[in-house]
């Protein structure tokens, strides 16, 4: 645990890194990996395994201080507001529900 804290502090104090996931290679040490991918959001370490997590589903996994696998960030899909026909309602109830609602809201026969 002390090693993880020391590495994290050293990485934070060494300046900014460029985030270029294409340069990440298996076998890199944490400092070289950090220079490729930048500062992680979270770090987990246990029993010789360390995992760095990033935005957009990205992570880097280390085994005994060397990169073993990773997933690059996925490009987020742009937020699109769906257009609708002003004649048609945006929310449509299923047919069975519509008839039930109509039956219960009808006035009683005299």
């Amino acid at each position: 645990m002390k090693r993880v804290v020391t590495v994290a502090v050293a990485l934070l104090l060494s300046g900014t890194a460029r985030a270029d996931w294409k340069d990440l290679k298996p076998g890199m040490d944490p400092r070289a990996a950090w220079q490729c991918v930048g500062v992680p959001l979270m770090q987990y370490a246990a029993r010789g395994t360390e995992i760095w997590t990033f935005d957009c589903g990205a992570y880097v996994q280390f085994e005994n201080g060397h990169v073993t696998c990773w997933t690059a960030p996925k490009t987020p899909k742009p937020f699109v507001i769906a257009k609708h026909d002003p004649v048609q309602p945006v929310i449509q109830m299923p047919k069975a529900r519509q008839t039930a609602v109509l039956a219960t809201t009808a006035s009683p026969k005299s």
Side-chain angles (χ1 to χ4, degrees), residues 13-77:
L13 295 177
S14 65
T16 58
R18 58 185 170 75
D20 193 359
W21 286 79
K22 291 179 265 182
D23 293 340
L24 192 62
K25 305 278 186 250
M28 284 184 159
D29 64 343
R31 183 177 191 88
W34 179 79
Q35 290 175 343
C36 292
V37 299
V39 178
L41 293 175
M42 290 186 274
Q43 295 177 327
Y44 304 98
R47 298 182 182 171
T49 300
E50 185 174 352
I51 299 174
W52 295 356
T53 58
F54 299 86
D55 281 333
C56 300
Y59 74 91
V60 178
Q61 181 174 333
F62 299 87
E63 296 284 336
N64 300 317
H66 298 287
V67 174
T68 55
C69 62
W70 66 89
T71 297
K74 298 173 184 76
T75 306
K77 294 180 181 177

